[in-house]
Amino acid sequence: MRQKRNWIDALNELVRVNYDRVSEYEKAIQDVENEDERLVTLFNHHASMSRLNVHGLRQLIFSFGGEPIMDPIMRGKLLRVWMDFKASLFGKDRKVVLANLETKELKVQQAYDDTLEQHPEFPYRIRLELLKQRQLLRSAWFSILDASLAQTDVEEIIHH
């Protein structure tokens, strides 16, 4: 019973991470909305990916009799306040927005890595779901890196 509770808590933490990621992309969309429609498309794609991640994580939590969290809590709000503050200092141009997202994507991947490392006893289906999500998140990071480092065609990145 205690082990299931630990699994549920760990999965809920990843739900929080994905809610934060959606918030980051929604903010990024507002920041570049009038400047680059291709980035808006890419950012919407990544936000949708996290919504799907949340859905998968919630299903796992329910399967163990747990209650998934429904919305971001204070940590997500604090992160948004920090990102807003940083944007007010450094501006909201495309380069800054992409650099912030690169950093966020690395932190999201680290959260998945930490969860998998801290819970080697996860059943196969949990590990498989987390590894699949982690792989998608890694490809999202590469797409942000590509958009940041080169003036890459964002449409091509989405379909890659």
Side-chain angles (χ1 to χ4, degrees):
M1 185 71 158
R2 181 180 171 99
Q3 186 176 46
K4 281 186 182 181
R5 181 76 245 156
N6 287 339
W7 294 347
I8 291 166
D9 290 346
L11 295 172
N12 265 325
E13 181 59 29
L14 292 178
V15 169
R16 273 189 206 94
V17 165
N18 277 281
Y19 277 136
D20 288 349
R21 186 172 180 265
V22 169
S23 295
E24 285 301 314
Y25 277 106
E26 288 173 347
K27 175 150 182 22
I29 289 166
Q30 292 171 1
D31 290 345
V32 300
E33 195 167 37
N34 298 321
E35 296 174 31
D36 193 333
E37 193 59 39
R38 294 174 304 166
L39 279 181
V40 170
T41 301
L42 180 65
F43 295 168
N44 273 316
H45 175 74
H46 290 338
S48 293
M49 179 192 304
S50 269
R51 288 183 191 100
L52 288 173
N53 287 350
V54 166
H55 177 74
L57 293 165
R58 289 171 53 82
Q59 294 304 316
L60 289 172
I61 292 166
F62 281 132
S63 76
F64 290 112
E67 188 64 36
I69 61 169
M70 294 301 292
D71 54 44
I73 57 172
M74 189 52 128
R75 195 175 69 153
K77 292 175 185 173
L78 289 174
L79 178 63
R80 284 188 294 284
V81 168
W82 167 246
M83 295 304 277
D84 288 344
F85 174 71
K86 250 173 57 171
S88 71
L89 289 178
F90 301 112
K92 297 180 184 177
D93 72 355
R94 180 178 194 259
K95 200 173 193 175
V96 171
V97 169
L98 288 167
N100 287 338
L101 290 173
E102 281 180 52
T103 301
K104 177 63 177 176
E105 288 292 347
L106 288 173
K107 289 180 182 178
V108 170
Q109 290 178 58
Q110 188 62 53
Y112 273 76
D113 289 344
D114 291 348
T115 299
L116 287 163
E117 185 179 312
Q118 293 166 6
H119 296 280
E121 79 287 353
F122 273 156
Y124 175 76
R125 67 185 170 125
I126 291 179
R127 293 191 76 72
L128 182 61
E129 179 66 21
L130 296 185
L131 289 169
K132 285 185 339 188
Q133 289 185 11
R134 169 65 168 75
Q135 186 59 37
L136 290 171
L137 292 164
R138 184 170 176 81
S139 72
W141 173 72
F142 278 120
S143 71
I144 295 300
L145 189 60
D146 283 348
S148 180
L149 293 177
Q151 298 301 317
T152 308
D153 185 343
V154 177
E155 298 274 340
E156 185 178 74
I157 293 171
I158 290 173
H159 300 295
H160 188 298

